[in-house]
């Protein structure tokens, strides 16, 4: 995607020697645009844990590059042990998005199959990490094409006005390597001159909607309005939402979807108001080992300070964090919730759109069901 007139991915290898990973620092968007270097697996784990990079697809790609950096820094006589330690460190950073562990396991598997010198193993790690990143971008591009069909149909039926799409959190290109999942169909529609407008949930406590989704949409020129997290139901009741599309961090084999906290409430409101609610995801977000999302998906609980405080730009242009509750008030901070499959109209994947059910998912991804 473009920032200004320049094309960026969210993560890439630097320069000619390709021994440093570069990322866009998402902690300080939308106020500043900064690229930072990652030199080793510890840098990468910190970047994921402290959310310099975030979003299911991007944490997966970052973890893959983290293993590559670990391979670059590893000694020949302890290579396998160092790779195992790097894998453990990366997997410990964030628990909910399945892409992270999936990418680490794929890297370790690729390295296990690579014989030869230390340099050859490092080269194998680089090739696999780059393949994971390229695949993430390509799958998201295709998700955009599949989702475009849904927006087109709604647009053709509407007598006037844009297709109003509500989204929660950030499932745009910043959450992946490029294109995004939930926002990819929006960009595809916009690029084909189909009138679209996005309702952007602010997404407390970290405000990924206000800070990241709104920024992305602005950069692309897509019409949008920021709304408070509690506004969606009201807009749905008044016919102001035609479609909801969100991303996902983990989707079980029966189609239950974990996504940013608050997604479930939007899904319930959408069903109550007969509004289609789609979840967009690349196959790396499926967890085919899990069935019941409510019982099985691990939900990250983060620092309560994120709820007690809010960060933003002051009139003087400085970025500051302020407290919004009484000193003595304690808080809890769950990062994700699970939307049961029955609330989901369909899953938009790189292989097409399917029902959020074991049968629907199995029709698109039969090989994973055979392997269970
Ligand atoms: O905590 P975050 O910002 O990593 O959470 C991101 C989301 O919940 C996104 O909606 C999700 O990753 C789906 S799109 C990749």
């Amino acid at each position: 995607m473009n920032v200004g007139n320049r094309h960026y991915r969210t993560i890439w290898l630097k320069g000619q020697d390709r021994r440093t990973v570069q990322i866009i620092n998402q902690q300080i968007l939308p106020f500043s645009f900064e690229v930072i270097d990652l030199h080793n697996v510890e840098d990468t784990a910190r970047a994921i844990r402290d959310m310099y990079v975030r979003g299911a697809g991007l944490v997966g790609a970052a973890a893959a590059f983290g293993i590559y950096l670990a391979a670059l820094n590893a000694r020949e006589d302890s290579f396998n042990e160092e790779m195992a330690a790097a894998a453990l460190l990366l997997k410990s950073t964030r628990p909910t998005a399945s892409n992270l562990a999936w990418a680490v396991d794929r890297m370790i598997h690729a390295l296990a199959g690579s014989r030869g010198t230390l340099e050859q193993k490092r080269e194998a790690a680089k090739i696999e990490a780059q393949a994971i990143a390229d695949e993430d971008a390509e799958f998201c591009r295709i998700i955009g094409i599949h989702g475009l069909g849904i927006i087109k149909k709604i647009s053709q039926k509407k007598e006037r006005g844009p297709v109003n799409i509500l989204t929660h959190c950030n499932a745009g290109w910043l959450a992946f390597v490029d294109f995004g999942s939930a926002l990819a169909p929006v960009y595809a529609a916009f690029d084909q001159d189909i009138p679209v407008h996005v309702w952007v949930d602010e997404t407390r406590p970290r405000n990924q909607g206000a800070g990241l989704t709104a920024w992305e949409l602005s950069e692309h020129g897509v019409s949008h309005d920021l709304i408070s997290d509690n506004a969606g139901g009201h807009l749905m009741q008044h016919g102001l939402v035609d479609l909801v599309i969100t991303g996902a961090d983990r989707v079980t084999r029966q189609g239950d979807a974990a996504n940013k906290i608050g997604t479930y409430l939007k899904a319930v409101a959408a069903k109550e108001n007969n509004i289609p609610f789609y979840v967009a995801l690349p196959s790396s977000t499926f967890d085919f080992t899990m069935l019941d999302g409510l019982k099985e998906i691990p939900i990250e609980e983060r620092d309560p300070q994120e709820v007690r405080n809010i960060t933003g730009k002051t009139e003087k242009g400085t970025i500051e964090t302020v407290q919004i509750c009484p000193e003595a008030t304690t808080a809890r901070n769950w990062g994700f919730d699970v939307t049961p499959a029955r609330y989901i109209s369909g899953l938009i994947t790189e292989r097409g759109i399917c029902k959020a059910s074991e049968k629907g998912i199995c029709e698109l991804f039969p090989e994973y069901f055979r392997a269970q």
Side-chain angles (χ1 to χ4, degrees), residues 51 54-57 94 168-171 175-176 181 208 247-249 259-260 336:
M51 294 178 70
R54 32 64 54 203
R94 296 195 71 193
H168 192 70
C169 194
N170 172 261
F176 288 88
S181 57
Q208 289 95 328
D249 290 85
N259 193 49
K260 183 52 58 193
F336 301 89

Side-chain angles (χ1 to χ4, degrees), residues 207-270:
N207 291 324
Q208 289 95 328
L212 304 178
T213 299
W215 180 77
E216 272 195 30
L217 292 170
S218 303
E219 288 294 317
H220 205 90
V222 179
S223 158
H224 63 281
D225 284 292
L226 180 63
I227 54 173
S228 70
D229 280 334
N230 306 320
H234 170 73
L235 298 180
M236 291 180 200
Q237 285 174 321
H238 289 274
L240 294 169
V241 179
D242 298 304
L243 170 67
V244 182
I245 314 180
T246 72
D249 290 85
R250 191 183 293 243
V251 175
T252 70
R253 52 193 279 149
Q254 71 180 12
D256 299 335
N259 193 49
K260 183 52 58 193
I261 192 86
T263 303
Y264 164 63
L265 289 175
K266 298 298 139 65
V268 173

Side-chain angles (χ1 to χ4, degrees), residues 49-64:
R49 182 176 292 118
D50 296 344
M51 294 178 70
Y52 289 80
V53 289
R54 32 64 54 203
L58 179 54
V59 296

Side-chain angles (χ1 to χ4, degrees), residues 326-340:
E327 194 56 45
T329 296
T330 55
R332 298 288 299 270
N333 184 12
W334 290 275
F336 301 89
D337 61 26
V338 173
T339 299

Side-chain angles (χ1 to χ4, degrees), residues 11-26:
I11 191 164
W12 62 93
L13 291 171
K14 182 178 180 179
Q16 293 289 315
D17 74 355
R18 300 168 75 76
R19 296 173 72 90
T20 303
V21 173
Q22 292 195 299
I23 55 169
I24 296 170
N25 179 2
Q26 299 196 22

